[in-house]
Amino acid sequence: MKATTNVGDLVTIPNCSISIGGKLITFKIMPDIGDSKGAKYGGDEGIGRSSPIPIYNNSDARKISIDIHFITLKQADLKKNREDLWAIMSGVYPNPGQNGAPYRPPTICKLKCGQLFGKAGVCAVLENYSVKYPPDVPWDKTTMMPYKFDVTTS
């Protein structure tokens, strides 16, 4: 697969995206992906044993972290990057309430990147995000958006 078109535009990576509340965020630069899960064990002290027998207690929740890289090559990228950033930010806020409830839980996200998360992708809850606006790249004068920035999610 080519990373750029004949005129130098970045190509969207197929089947690699985050869906948040109906907004599909696609990638033009491969994100850094981390996926972890752990198990917890207790020990049973047997009579006459010098070390405890490990006994499974429970598993930790699966944690997926994605570092998304945004880059601006043309004016239309500024608007898309800003909208994608706002969509990511919205994933940690509760939704408006219904039927007298003050709010509903935040939107469930769907992660896909080839078959890293299975053929259909995986549903996840966005617990936090962090945006890095680097000072060493050009910024847009109107929006103050840098032409390159990174968002870390988990």
Side-chain angles (χ1 to χ4, degrees):
M1 183 184 128
K2 292 185 176 184
T4 60
T5 65
N6 294 341
V7 295
D9 291 335
L10 290 174
V11 174
T12 300
I13 301 169
N15 200 26
C16 194
S17 62
I18 299 176
S19 178
I20 303 176
K23 168 81 171 147
L24 186 67
I25 299 170
T26 56
F27 307 122
K28 293 186 177 188
I29 299 173
M30 189 68 173
D32 297 321
I33 299 172
D35 192 351
S36 66
K37 183 169 177 69
K40 294 191 179 180
Y41 290 87
D44 189 13
E45 305 284 334
I47 295 176
R49 291 191 54 91
S50 61
S51 60
I53 300 168
I55 298 174
Y56 173 80
N57 285 339
N58 63 310
S59 292
D60 293 331
R62 182 180 184 187
K63 294 277 188 181
I64 298 172
S65 62
I66 300 178
D67 293 348
I68 306 164
H69 312 287
F70 291 93
I71 190 165
T72 299
L73 297 177
K74 52 188 176 182
Q75 197 64 28
D77 293 338
L78 279 171
K79 182 177 186 233
K80 182 184 181 322
N81 290 348
R82 192 172 64 242
E83 289 173 355
D84 288 350
L85 175 60
W86 290 344
I88 292 167
M89 290 174 165
S90 74
V92 298
Y93 290 99
N95 289 306
Q98 290 179 333
N99 302 325
Y103 64 88
R104 293 180 295 141
T107 304
I108 302 292
C109 307
K110 183 154 189 179
L111 311 174
K112 292 177 87 176
C113 199
Q115 294 185 10
L116 291 178
F117 305 122
K119 289 185 179 180
V122 65
C123 292
V125 175
L126 183 61
E127 290 184 348
N128 60 60
Y129 70 88
S130 175
V131 184
K132 293 264 188 183
Y133 299 113
D136 59 344
V137 298
W139 292 58
D140 179 63
K141 291 180 183 178
T142 306
T143 63
M144 296 303 291
M145 288 290 289
Y147 288 164
K148 183 197 178 304
F149 63 94
D150 298 321
V151 179
T152 300
T153 63
S154 62

